[in-house]
């Protein structure tokens, strides 16, 4: 039996009341994330993420619009947001390979920012590019 808009809204409300999103909740919709900022979830396109920096139990998501601090580990972020453009390059950083301006064997550059590529993560970094 198809759901009516009223019944569908009620189901969504029950889900929200049961779920109660917290500061570390990320919603994924297509090519966009919705991250908690103050009292609302802010839309952030994955393509606009420049890099992600881990800091203990928090991550700073650097985007073209600014920086969002999320209460989660970088490993948990990787699990929740699987995007071929976001690649781990060392223990504490992910970079958006679509935003890389240049790279060397052990370093990548986004604008003026320099990122170290460690040996452990080199294979996954290089495999994100197509060799011609």
């Amino acid at each position: 039996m198809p759901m009516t808009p009223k019944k569908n809204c009620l189901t969504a409300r029950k889900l929200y009341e049961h779920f109660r999103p917290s500061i570390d909740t990320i919603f994924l919709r297509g090519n966009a994330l919705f991250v908690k900022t103050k009292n609302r979830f802010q839309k952030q396109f994955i393509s606009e993420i420049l890099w992600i920096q881990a800091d203990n139990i928090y991550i700073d998501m650097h985007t073209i619009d600014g920086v969002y601090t999320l209460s989660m580990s970088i490993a948990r972020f990787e699990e929740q947001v699987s995007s071929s453009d976001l690649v781990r390059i060392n223990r504490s950083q992910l970079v958006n390979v679509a935003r890389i301006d240049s790279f060397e064997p052990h370093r990548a550059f986004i604008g003026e920012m320099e990122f170290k590529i460690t040996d452990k993560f080199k294979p996954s970094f290089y495999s994100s590019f197509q060799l011609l």
Side-chain angles (χ1 to χ4, degrees):
M1 182 169 142
M3 295 185 81
T4 63
K6 186 176 181 180
K7 192 170 187 176
N8 193 14
C9 184
L10 183 61
T11 303
R13 186 177 302 131
K14 282 184 178 180
L15 177 64
Y16 179 82
E17 287 172 1
H18 173 73
F19 184 61
R20 297 280 184 200
S22 64
I23 193 170
D24 63 346
T25 301
I26 296 176
F27 290 104
L28 181 63
R29 173 85 174 133
N31 62 349
L33 304 174
F34 287 82
V35 295
K36 182 87 175 201
T37 59
K38 298 186 182 176
N39 294 326
R40 67 172 50 169
F41 284 89
Q42 183 68 38
K43 185 180 200 176
Q44 187 61 57
F45 289 103
I46 293 172
S47 62
E48 295 177 349
I49 297 172
L50 301 173
W51 76 89
I52 295 172
Q53 175 73 46
D55 184 16
N56 201 0
I57 61 169
Y58 296 96
I59 58 171
D60 288 330
M61 185 171 69
H62 297 260
T63 71
I64 61 172
D65 297 326
V67 179
Y68 297 89
T69 299
L70 306 173
S71 176
M72 67 174 51
S73 69
I74 198 165
R76 183 156 176 243
F77 181 88
E78 276 184 299
E79 289 170 10
Q80 289 187 349
V81 181
S82 72
S83 170
S84 59
D85 284 343
L86 297 175
V87 177
R88 180 85 75 105
I89 57 166
N90 59 51
R91 234 179 90 175
S92 61
Q93 292 176 320
L94 293 167
V95 294
N96 186 338
V97 291
R99 294 290 183 163
I100 290 177
D101 296 313
S102 62
F103 64 89
E104 299 172 357
H106 289 282
R107 297 184 302 172
F109 301 88
I110 298 175
E112 297 296 316
M113 291 297 300
E114 178 180 325
F115 304 92
K116 183 178 180 180
I117 306 169
T118 59
D119 289 337
K120 178 180 178 180
F121 296 101
K122 239 187 201 185
S124 64
F125 175 76
Y126 282 105
S127 69
S128 66
F129 296 93
Q130 182 179 2
L131 181 63
L132 301 177

